[in-house]
Amino acid sequence: MKRVITAAIAFAFAAGMSNAQVADGDLAEDQANTSQILTNGMGRGLQRYSPLDMVNRETVKNLVPAWAFSLGGEKQRGQETQPLIYDGVMYITGSYSRVYAIDVKTGAEIWQYDARLPEGILPCCDVVNRGAAIYGDKIFFGTLDARVVALNRHTGDVIWRDKIADYKAGYSYTAAPLIVNGLVITGNSGGEFGIVGEVQARDTETGELIWTRPVIEGHMGTYKGEESTMTGTLNATWPGDMWKTGGGATWLGGSYDADTHTIVFGTGNPAPWNSWLRNAGQHNDGSGDNLYAASRIGMDPDTGEIKWHFQTTPREGWDYDGVNEVIPYVDRAGNMRYATADRNGFFYVLNREDGKFVRGGPFVKDISWASGLDENGRPIYNEENRPGNPVESADGKKGEVVFSSPSFLGGKNWMPMSFSRRTGNFYVPTNEWGMDIWNEPITYKKGAAYLGSGFTIKPNYEDHIGSLKAIDPDTGEWVWEYKNDAPLWSGVMTTAGGLVFFGNPEGEFIALDDETGEKLWSFQTGSGVVGQPVTWEQDGEQFISIISGWGGAVPLWGGEVAKKVNYLNQGGLLWTFRLPRELAMAQ
Ligand code: CA
């Protein structure tokens, strides 16, 4: 650990930092309280909707930069963080497992924490971090060597830290932690290395491990150091010993549904990618589904016991990780629903009581691997679009190549969508792309890539890859579409001002009209935007922040698309905008 402290205490008082402590009630009302942002998702339901409307369709043109903060150093790469704001301080995470405390009024640094990462970490998809959590007087975040760290929010000093799993086996951590009832709850990353997806909960005060819940059938959970229950039923849907290295990384973290007291985590691809090694048949009887990979899992936050699961892609074979965020909301008829937009290209509405499928449909244009969903939400497979079994090829080394859409980077990847309470629609950052994909033989080796597949991503259209869509969850209708040349990789935020905020890799931070998709405002940030916007109220004015810094999975894995966007510059600036009071009424 290397910590750079810039006269922290003096600055802390200059910033007006007090001894205030974040309590459970503060987290519960995070969406409604517009003066602070305490949770990933601007509320643990991840709606990313603000009731603020000073910045609206008329006044957004008057937004001006207030300050910008450089993450500095030689360490650039993808900046995907969502800021937290509390007690006069903004807390952000940066690439390479860094945390910064910034005076929210001036943009001056208060402290920074730089986790010293060992040689040999194995992040699959850039050295990103997607944000921190706050509770009591501590800031929590995870590191690329798969640790969870609690820092003193005033000084950046380490209070405790603990290992999630062994980074040498391919584990890492990039998501924002989730806090429920005094527990800090984390997932894990590493689905390309044959790890086993798991959710863990620790005491925020001491770091003591309270429960663990592996998400692949056959593995045992724990509660307070003792075995609790097995996940699923051993070998019910996995052949032989494949479940032992079965993947299902819970790499995007989770949401919390306070109404049902349920945490919901998504689980990534089963390992390896080559699905023939996990299910040699084409049967649809469920015996080769590889539970609970590529699923959403509802859990009791106090014990880690599984309440329900919904699998989006049984015997998944395209790396359609099912990790995407699950957002609790109330539909127009007053029903308690979840919505989630899967990497596989389908948008799902689920029942909040039991996770059961209500309805679903495509949110991208050219899904090739399935023709639709049946009445239970199970995909209707196009078997000829399954990458071929290498065992059946002439030399046994490369199975039949197929062109599948969406690509493995997904109809939507990690970048979070938003639910507008104003319109009742979801605003979904999507990408229209496909891939050539084939299977190869593979055997598990600790710390080595465990794919058994090869691939090349290709754009589906000449004039756009990115596509931000407004989707009516009650009908599945696409209300409008905003096309973008490069693939979208930034989070989305909606507001009561009728606005949709997001960024693009070309560097623009953009506001659209939530009813029409018309572009109302944009600002060139200087590097690609792959971060997550937030807004809050301060001294009677509305502020908006977004981090800029191109990177993430696209430049590393994007194939022909990566070549298309290789002109984009790296960076690392947190931009903050304000609507000056005298311009709030101007039109
Ligand atoms: Ca994956």
Side-chain angles (χ1 to χ4, degrees):
M1 179 265 312
K2 181 180 67 181
R3 190 171 51 83
V4 182
I5 192 150
T6 41
I9 301 302
F11 265 101
F13 283 110
M17 211 190 277
S18 70
N19 287 323
Q21 303 242 341
V22 175
D24 292 308
D26 298 315
L27 299 181
E29 66 167 23
D30 193 38
Q31 184 169 38
N33 184 343
T34 55
S35 67
Q36 54 194 30
I37 297 166
L38 305 180
T39 59
N40 175 52
M42 297 170 60
R44 288 175 293 183
L46 311 184
Q47 291 186 349
R48 299 182 184 276
Y49 172 77
S50 171
L52 287 172
D53 63 0
M54 286 180 261
V55 178
N56 55 46
R57 287 177 284 192
E58 283 73 43
T59 60
V60 66
K61 64 178 184 291
N62 297 323
L63 275 179
V64 293
W67 51 262
F69 176 87
S70 170
L71 278 74
E74 298 165 3
K75 295 172 173 175
Q76 302 281 346
R77 306 285 288 272
Q79 304 297 351
E80 296 188 351
T81 196
Q82 184 217 285
L84 301 177
I85 290 157
Y86 182 64
D87 196 23
V89 183
M90 175 183 288
Y91 299 96
I92 63 169
T93 59
S95 55
Y96 294 97
S97 307
R98 294 174 290 170
V99 186
Y100 300 81
I102 305 164
D103 182 328
V104 78
K105 292 201 173 172
T106 66
E109 180 175 303
I110 298 169
W111 54 257
Q112 69 168 274
Y113 171 84
D114 188 342
R116 189 195 301 145
L117 297 169
E119 295 290 319
I121 56 170
L122 294 164
C124 74
C125 310
D126 203 5
V127 288
V128 299
N129 189 284
R130 302 193 169 103
I134 184 169
Y135 188 71
D137 57 0
K138 299 179 191 67
I139 299 292
F140 304 88
F141 88 114
T143 63
L144 291 166
D145 60 340
R147 291 172 193 273
V148 56
V149 182
L151 303 174
N152 179 318
R153 79 172 181 91
H154 297 282
T155 63
D157 288 329
V158 175
I159 306 291
W160 58 259
R161 105 188 92 153
D162 198 17
K163 186 165 107 174
I164 294 172
D166 179 9
Y167 73 86
K168 291 175 185 160
Y171 287 91
S172 57
Y173 193 80
T174 56
L178 174 66
I179 310 273
V180 180
N181 286 353
L183 299 180
V184 55
I185 303 171
T186 50
N188 61 23
S189 303
E192 276 53 66
F193 296 94
I195 62 98
V196 174
E198 185 165 277
V199 182
Q200 302 178 346
R202 287 176 174 78
D203 186 308
T204 48
E205 201 57 37
T206 63
E208 181 197 356
L209 188 62
I210 303 299
W211 58 257
T212 62
R213 174 51 55 192
V215 300
I216 298 295
E217 77 177 19
H219 293 271
M220 290 296 292
T222 65
Y223 182 76
K224 294 193 174 172
E226 311 263 320
E227 285 193 346
S228 57
T229 55
M230 181 183 283
T231 299
T233 304
L234 180 62
N235 283 138
T237 65
W238 286 82
D241 285 342
M242 297 299 288
W243 58 278
K244 290 182 178 173
T245 51
T250 49
W251 59 265
L252 195 49
S255 57
Y256 174 56
D257 176 8
D259 295 320
T260 63
H261 192 50
T262 304
I263 54 171
V264 187
F265 274 68
T267 64
N269 62 284
W273 286 17
N274 178 347
S275 65
W276 299 95
L277 297 169
R278 295 177 273 103
N279 177 347
Q282 299 191 353
H283 46 81
N284 240 338
D285 63 1
S287 67
D289 284 355
N290 309 137
L291 291 170
Y292 298 109
S295 300
R296 309 299 190 279
I297 303 181
M299 284 167 281
D300 183 328
D302 303 319
T303 63
E305 291 301 313
I306 294 176
K307 295 182 176 184
W308 53 260
H309 75 276
F310 176 78
Q311 190 175 41
T312 48
T313 317
R315 65 106 165 111
E316 195 279 319
W318 300 263
D319 190 32
Y320 292 150
D321 281 7
V323 293
N324 302 85
E325 72 280 14
V326 176
I327 300 181
Y329 72 106
V330 179
D331 73 10
R332 293 183 182 89
N335 298 304
M336 305 239 298
R337 301 300 194 211
Y338 292 120
T340 187
D342 199 277
R343 233 156 93 167
N344 71 17
F346 289 99
F347 185 96
Y348 299 82
V349 175
L350 308 177
N351 183 354
R352 264 207 256 169
E353 295 299 332
D354 53 13
K356 287 257 173 5
F357 177 73
V358 176
R359 75 180 69 84
F363 67 87
V364 290
K365 291 162 194 160
D366 305 296
I367 297 173
S368 66
W369 64 277
S371 60
L373 304 175
D374 72 12
E375 69 278 9
N376 298 314
R378 188 182 177 91
I380 302 161
Y381 288 98
N382 293 328
E383 289 292 348
E384 69 279 10
N385 203 235
R386 182 182 187 182
N389 189 349
V391 169
E392 293 169 0
S393 67
D395 61 2
K397 289 185 178 157
K398 182 174 180 180
E400 183 199 356
V401 181
V402 297
F403 179 81
S404 295
S405 181
S407 80
F408 71 90
L409 289 179
K412 172 178 174 297
N413 201 280
W414 79 278
M415 58 285 191
M417 63 184 182
S418 173
F419 173 71
S420 170
R421 292 191 172 206
R422 201 187 85 81
T423 64
N425 292 328
F426 282 84
Y427 296 84
V428 189
T430 82
N431 288 310
E432 304 282 355
W433 50 15
M435 62 181 168
D436 287 333
I437 181 168
W438 61 91
N439 285 323
E440 300 164 350
I442 185 81
T443 50
Y444 175 79
K445 185 162 162 277
K446 181 183 170 184
Y450 186 48
L451 301 184
S453 287
F455 44 81
T456 304
I457 291 187
K458 299 174 171 179
N460 285 0
Y461 297 91
E462 288 282 312
D463 66 337
H464 73 289
I465 299 167
S467 162
L468 181 66
K469 297 184 181 86
I471 296 181
D472 182 332
D474 296 343
T475 63
E477 180 202 357
W478 302 356
V479 181
W480 51 256
E481 177 187 15
Y482 177 91
K483 294 176 180 173
N484 196 76
D485 186 40
L488 293 180
W489 213 254
S490 128
V492 179
M493 172 179 74
T494 56
T495 73
L499 298 170
V500 182
F501 287 94
F502 69 107
N504 66 17
E506 292 89 336
E508 288 180 294
F509 182 44
I510 298 170
L512 305 181
D513 184 317
D514 65 4
E515 290 178 7
T516 65
E518 182 193 353
K519 187 175 179 179
L520 300 177
W521 175 85
S522 72
F523 181 90
Q524 175 52 247
T525 64
S527 180
V529 178
V530 294
Q532 308 171 67
V534 293
T535 187
W536 74 99
E537 183 181 4
Q538 179 178 297
D539 303 326
E541 295 181 338
Q542 187 176 347
F543 286 70
I544 299 171
S545 287
I546 182 74
I547 201 161
S548 167
W550 172 236
V554 174
L556 299 172
W557 294 103
E560 291 182 15
V561 172
K563 286 182 204 151
K564 185 176 158 146
V565 295
N566 65 6
Y567 67 94
L568 296 167
N569 289 326
Q570 294 190 13
L573 276 182
L574 186 290
W575 283 96
T576 292
F577 303 88
R578 68 186 267 258
L579 180 63
R581 191 177 287 110
E582 60 273 21
L583 295 178
M585 301 306 290
Q587 303 200 0

